[in-house]
Amino acid sequence: MEFLSVATWEDALAARAAHPGALPIAGGTDVMAGLNHDLDRPSALLDLARVPELSQWHTHEGIVRLGACVTYARIVAELGDRLPGLAMASHTVGSPQIRRRGTVGGSLGSASPEGDAHPPLLAAGAVVEAASVRGVRRIPAVDFYQEDGRGALAADELIAAVLVPVATGPQRFSKIGGRQAMAVAVASFALSLDPTRRRAASGIGSVAPAPRPAAVANEFLTGELEASGLWDSRAGLGESLMYRYGELVTEAASPSDDIRATAEYRRLALAVMARRTLARAWSQYQGGQ
Ligand SMILES: Cc1cc2nc3c(=O)[nH]c(=O)nc-3n(C[C@H](O)[C@H](O)[C@H](O)COP(=O)(O)OP(=O)(O)OC[C@H]3O[C@@H](n4cnc5c(N)ncnc54)[C@H](O)[C@@H]3O)c2cc1C
């Protein structure tokens, strides 16, 4: 197997175009597991880890541009204030070793329905920046995840970065797995409260063929918060609102039975997580955060 090592972004894009059979590799936590289990035998690996701009992030006009190779460990350490939802999710990924290697770009490259980064990216309204020798394309996260378990990348494209709006209110992430650490999510949920735009948004994971927003629940909560003047009063959310919200989040799911959980358990878990996550996020908002 050939190993293509590039040091510049231009060379990476040129190599991607010239070697369509080459598999990009960032942290390698998915790629190497696939190779070790003989699930994949690409003709070449295209190593992105030495391209400097992929490992950088910066904020411009309220948007964090997160290079594709920024690791989970760095998101936790450096971006907890700007991207609290993604940082919470990053903290739950694998183990310290996996978090020091694994990247959000790699998670998008795998586009697995279980990836912990996806629900907070959906809830935050993130946009994936894809590039090729043909140019740059921006794909909203909501359009990126395909039901066949792949990302919406063309064969000659690489993920350059993810553009994530800086949080203006509480963001939270919840995940249920078989144990506290090193667990693939059985169900996951992310919520973002945006008092500036007066919007609530969420993303669900591991409960459908692809990560997706809970669109009807988002509209319901956004509408209720506005209609009852709750953004301004910061009064408590009623039980009936919370239960209806949990129900609507669950209606967005289409889970299946598998080795980790039944579809029924996933639905129940999602409703409970949605209610609790909303309660915690709202309590944070009431407390002025
Ligand atoms: C023990 C273990 C535990 C884990 N636990 C979790 C967990 O709890 N939660 C979770 O979400 N994940 C978990 N993972 C999965 C994995 O760590 C994540 O999916 C991680 O985000 C992958 O990032 P990476 O940089 O290692 O990607 P890689 O393995 O390098 O690449 C993954 C895929 O993305 C493609 N790719 C990488 N970079 C780019 C790019 N810039 N452009 C286009 N394609 C690209 C690759 O070709 C490949 O298809 C675990 C993995 C292991 C081995």
Side-chain angles (χ1 to χ4, degrees):
M1 186 187 300
E2 223 183 323
F3 190 78
L4 306 168
S5 183
V6 289
T8 68
W9 183 230
E10 290 69 31
D11 286 351
L13 294 179
R16 178 72 159 152
H19 302 270
L23 186 67
I25 177 165
T29 59
D30 282 333
V31 168
M32 294 313 295
L35 292 181
N36 287 343
H37 290 101
D38 230 359
L39 301 175
D40 207 358
R41 231 354 94 181
S43 57
L45 291 177
L46 170 57
D47 181 26
L48 302 175
R50 289 176 54 233
V51 178
E53 51 267 59
L54 292 183
S55 297
Q56 293 163 5
W57 65 265
H58 66 266
T59 307
H60 180 62
E61 294 182 348
I63 307 280
V64 175
R65 186 176 188 282
L66 189 65
C69 289
V70 176
T71 62
Y72 294 115
R74 284 187 55 205
I75 292 169
V76 174
E78 300 168 24
L79 285 163
D81 55 345
R82 293 171 174 86
L83 309 178
L86 184 61
M88 269 181 110
S90 300
H91 188 68
T92 74
V93 170
S95 61
Q97 294 89 336
I98 296 295
R99 292 195 287 275
R100 284 177 68 88
R101 295 289 313 172
T103 65
V104 171
S107 180
L108 288 162
S110 294
S112 140
E114 289 109 8
D116 292 322
H118 309 315
L121 291 180
L122 285 165
V127 172
V128 179
E129 190 178 293
S132 69
V133 289
R134 296 175 290 116
V136 174
R137 209 160 58 98
R138 291 192 169 165
I139 313 163
V142 64
D143 299 324
F144 184 82
Y145 306 109
Q146 312 285 299
E147 298 274 303
D148 63 2
R150 293 148 64 107
L153 283 185
D156 63 346
E157 282 180 322
L158 289 170
I159 297 160
V162 199
L163 311 177
V164 197
V166 172
T168 64
Q171 294 185 341
R172 299 200 66 95
F173 173 77
S174 304
K175 159 179 172 180
I176 287 188
R179 54 188 178 184
Q180 286 290 337
M182 294 287 283
V184 175
V186 158
S188 61
F189 176 76
L191 173 67
S192 168
L193 294 179
D194 182 346
T196 307
R197 294 179 196 83
R198 295 191 169 234
R199 275 206 310 250
S202 61
I204 57 178
S206 284
V207 288
R212 50 170 79 148
V216 177
N218 292 346
E219 273 171 39
F220 166 77
L221 183 57
T222 300
E224 288 292 312
L225 294 177
E226 193 61 52
S228 309
L230 288 161
W231 288 116
D232 296 322
S233 72
R234 298 183 191 236
L237 304 179
E239 283 282 297
S240 62
L241 183 154
M242 307 264 259
Y243 270 84
R244 184 65 188 136
Y245 179 67
E247 274 172 13
L248 289 174
V249 168
T250 308
E251 283 174 21
S254 48
S256 40
D257 296 334
D258 68 17
I259 190 164
R260 285 193 284 277
T262 61
E264 192 191 355
Y265 177 77
R266 287 186 152 100
R267 281 201 184 85
L268 282 169
L270 191 59
V272 173
M273 279 197 298
R275 284 201 306 269
R276 286 187 188 163
T277 307
L278 173 57
R280 287 176 189 145
W282 191 253
S283 148
Q284 242 179 293
Y285 181 62
Q286 289 178 304
Q289 289 173 38

